[in-house]
């Protein structure tokens, strides 16, 4: 019987919440592997065994597993009986050709201590069989081929080479957050980093259609689709922002507009966050990257909301963020040219050191609550699911109080 044998990160999943964490992880695996001929998912002795049906294609399963947070590593494994000769025979019959590798080691983990032979002895004896069959040299540190044996009650798992999983914590175990998702490079990476830490992320995108093109909405949708491959179910709120911006231009001097826009974004996102029971907001801010991201301006926007604002990229370099965006799969979408909402009705040189009293003065001239309400009333929400197509129709957002 062929299985995928996976390990979760022990350290992260310790404590009395462990069964709950594992339950979430197993549920998530069922959803992530839907349609791929999975017979059942078991949890023997601190491991996860995904028992595959006949039609299962290991490549596709690997591809999906690579995005399930909480999985530390995994491999395609076979169950073998618990006797030495049986194990040795099973290993030797599965060895790759002599020329394909030059060194190996046998790694034994013994989850069932009732099995009489200590792990190092078993590894040595099985290794000797492999050496006789192939003549490869043993290398305990940098072997080309690692042969894994795991003893659980009733049988052993046998596998060749382990693949790294994405790590992190199972989706949803850390609660819910709301991410401000622009069409840029940074905010999708910021959202992903919170996902990796077990947060379920709801996306909010502000667009300036019909003042600007629809490109940014299309980009936000495609970015949300890529990110949904990691958390499987997402909601994307698309909030029209152009009319609100036009109103801002009537009384707010050009150099303060970006900060005022950003404060409105946070206020609107906060309302959405409370509606979906999210406990924090997430942005892609990086210290010093652009004019609106000086320490003074970050301080000036923070007071717009009482929710915590999480900025997971705050200390990263652009190169690091780009590398991560490429690995996640969002980079190619983010670099499609579009018109940034914040450039609408904004001068080239915005204020870089906004003072609290300046913001208070200009905001006092605006009917803030009404403007927030009007934008929310026109928001639409889209539901995304993976695996499966994004639901084609967007619906008017439910009334957000
Ligand atoms: P990004 O690459 O994420 O757009 P950026 O370097 O371009 O970031 P800004 O444009 O200053 O930086 O935006 C800072 C953060 O504010 C973004 O990371 C995002 O979280 C949020 N944000 C900006 N514009 C929008 C928008 N149109 N819709 C939603 N969130 C936005
Ligand atoms: Mg941007």
């Amino acid at each position: 019987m062929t299985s995928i044998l996976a390990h979760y990160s022990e350290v992260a999943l310790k404590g009395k919440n462990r069964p709950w964490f594992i339950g979430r992880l197993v549920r998530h695996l069922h959803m992530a592997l839907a349609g791929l001929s999975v017979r059942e998912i078991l949890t023997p002795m601190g491991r996860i065994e995904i028992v595959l049906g006949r039609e299962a294609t290991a490549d596709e399963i690997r591809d999906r597993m690579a995005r399930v947070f909480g999985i530390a590593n995994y491999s395609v494994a076979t169950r073998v009986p618990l006797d030495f000769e049986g194990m040795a025979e099973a290993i030797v019959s599965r060895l790759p050709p002599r020329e394909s590798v030059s060194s190996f080691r046998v790694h034994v983990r013994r989850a069932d201590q009732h099995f009489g032979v200590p792990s190092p002895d078993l590894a040595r004896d099985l290794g000797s069989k492999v050496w006789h069959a192939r003549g490869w040299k043993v290398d305990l540190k940098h072997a080309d081929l690692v042969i894994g044996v795991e003893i659980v009650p009733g049988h052993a798992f046998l596998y060749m080479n382990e693949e790294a999983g994405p790590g992190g914590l199972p989706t949803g175990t850390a609660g819910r957050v709301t991410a401000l998702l622009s069409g840029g490079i940074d905010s999708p990476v910021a959202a992903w980093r919170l996902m990796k830490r077990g947060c379920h992320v709801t996306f909010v995108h502000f667009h300036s259609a019909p003042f600007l093109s629809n490109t940014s909405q299309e980009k936000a949708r495609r970015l949300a689709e890529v990110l949904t491959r990691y958390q499987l179910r997402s909601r994307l709120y698309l909030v029209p922002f152009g009319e609100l911006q036009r109103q801002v231009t009537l009384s707010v001097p050009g150099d303060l507009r970006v900060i005022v826009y950003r404060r409105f974004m946070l206020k609107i996102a906060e309302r959405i966050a409370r509606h979906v029971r999210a406990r924090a907001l997430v942005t892609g801010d990086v210290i010093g990257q652009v004019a609106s991201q000086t320490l003074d301006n970050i301080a000036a926007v923070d007071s717009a909301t009482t929710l915590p604002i999480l900025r997971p990229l705050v200390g990263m370099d652009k190169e690091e963020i780009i590398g991560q965006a490429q690995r996640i799969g969002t980079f190619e979408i983010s670099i499609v040219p579009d018109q940034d909402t914040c450039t609408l009705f904004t001068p080239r040189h915005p204020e870089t050191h906004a003072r609290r009293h300046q913001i208070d003065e200009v905001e006092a001239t605006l009917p803030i609550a009404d403007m927030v309400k009007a934008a929310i009333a026109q928001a639409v929400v889209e539901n995304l699911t993976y695996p499966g197509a994004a639901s084609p129709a967007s619906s008017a957002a439910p009334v957000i109080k």
Side-chain angles (χ1 to χ4, degrees):
M1 181 154 39
T2 303
S3 299
I4 301 278
L5 183 66
H7 297 101
Y8 39 82
S9 162
E10 287 288 330
V11 179
L13 301 190
K14 279 212 169 106
K16 63 178 187 307
N17 284 334
R18 187 177 155 129
W20 177 74
F21 270 86
I22 295 167
R24 296 291 290 238
L25 183 54
V26 168
R27 205 171 80 199
H28 200 80
L29 279 166
H30 273 294
M31 288 163 69
L33 302 175
L36 295 187
S37 186
V38 168
R39 278 213 207 134
E40 58 182 334
I41 300 181
L42 308 169
T43 52
M45 311 278 300
R47 289 138 178 81
I48 293 183
E49 182 190 10
I50 301 160
V51 183
L52 305 179
R54 279 176 198 282
E55 296 93 67
T57 48
D59 280 351
E60 194 152 355
I61 289 177
R62 278 201 205 105
D63 175 60
R64 303 255 186 110
M65 292 288 288
R67 288 189 298 269
V68 178
F69 291 127
I71 298 291
N73 55 57
Y74 59 97
S75 40
V76 179
T78 316
R79 284 193 198 184
V80 293
L82 268 186
D83 74 281
F84 178 77
E85 287 305 328
M87 283 190 243
E89 225 169 85
I91 290 174
V92 170
S93 70
R94 285 171 177 78
L95 290 175
R98 186 184 298 265
E99 325 72 64
S100 61
V101 295
S102 61
S103 60
F104 81 103
R105 75 182 167 98
V106 179
H107 179 53
V108 175
R109 288 179 182 129
R110 201 169 47 132
D112 182 12
Q113 302 299 333
H114 294 105
F115 185 74
V117 188
S119 304
D121 297 1
L122 184 59
R124 191 197 53 227
D125 295 347
L126 290 171
S128 153
K129 294 275 185 186
V130 173
W131 184 80
H132 279 291
R134 289 291 188 272
W136 298 322
K137 74 171 190 297
V138 175
D139 186 336
L140 297 182
K141 285 220 170 89
H142 305 289
D144 296 338
L145 176 71
V146 178
I147 300 165
V149 177
E150 298 203 8
I151 314 283
V152 296
H155 59 267
F157 288 108
L158 171 65
Y159 54 88
M160 311 269 162
N161 289 335
E162 223 168 42
E163 294 176 62
L169 296 175
T171 297
T173 53
R176 215 172 251 282
V177 297
T178 293
L180 285 81
L181 185 72
S182 70
I185 296 170
D186 306 329
S187 48
V189 177
W192 182 87
R193 290 187 77 107
L194 268 297
M195 274 182 194
K196 181 167 175 177
R197 295 307 303 160
C199 294
H200 190 276
V201 181
T202 301
F203 306 108
V204 181
H205 175 70
F206 298 91
H207 63 85
S208 303
F211 298 91
L212 299 176
S213 73
N214 277 327
T215 322
S216 83
Q217 284 177 81
E218 191 41 45
K219 284 175 73 178
R221 187 176 290 127
R222 289 179 58 204
L223 290 168
E225 272 168 23
V226 171
L227 293 169
T228 302
R229 291 158 69 94
Y230 294 87
Q231 66 173 9
L232 310 182
R233 304 280 180 271
S234 305
R235 269 188 273 182
L236 167 64
Y237 286 81
L238 297 165
V239 185
F241 204 59
E243 175 52 30
L244 182 151
Q245 287 175 291
R246 196 190 59 77
Q247 264 176 280
V248 168
T249 60
L250 301 180
S251 60
V252 177
D255 57 351
L256 290 178
R257 281 178 203 158
V258 168
I259 293 167
V260 173
Y261 293 161
R262 199 50 52 80
R263 286 172 57 88
F264 270 109
M265 286 185 185
L266 291 169
K267 284 179 199 295
I268 294 167
E270 170 170 354
R271 295 280 298 277
I272 294 171
R274 294 198 188 281
H275 178 72
V276 300
R277 292 197 292 278
R279 311 273 290 276
L281 303 176
V282 182
T283 73
D285 291 316
V286 181
I287 290 289
Q289 197 191 74
V290 293
S292 59
Q293 297 172 13
T294 61
L295 278 181
D296 282 337
N297 288 359
I298 282 182
V301 301
D302 263 13
S303 58
T305 171
T306 52
L307 285 179
I309 302 175
L310 307 178
R311 298 180 168 94
L313 311 188
V314 75
M316 286 175 79
D317 289 343
K318 196 76 194 179
E319 288 312 310
E320 293 173 85
I321 300 171
I322 287 175
Q324 185 125 63
Q326 286 167 330
R327 290 190 294 277
I328 299 168
T330 51
F331 182 71
E332 295 302 322
I333 304 168
S334 295
I335 57 175
V336 172
D338 73 347
Q339 297 161 306
D340 191 301
T341 308
C342 287
T343 57
L344 183 64
F345 313 128
T346 310
R348 271 178 169 278
H349 300 291
E351 176 62 65
T352 49
H353 299 287
R355 297 281 162 225
R356 185 63 196 274
H357 70 91
Q358 294 175 286
I359 303 293
D360 289 345
E361 277 164 31
V362 296
E363 284 192 351
T365 65
L366 295 167
I368 294 190
D370 291 345
M371 290 165 76
V372 168
K373 216 167 158 186
I376 283 183
Q378 290 181 49
V380 296
V381 60
E382 297 187 354
N383 292 304
L384 301 110
T385 58
Y386 181 86
S391 82
S394 55
S395 58
V399 181
I400 296 172
K401 291 179 206 77

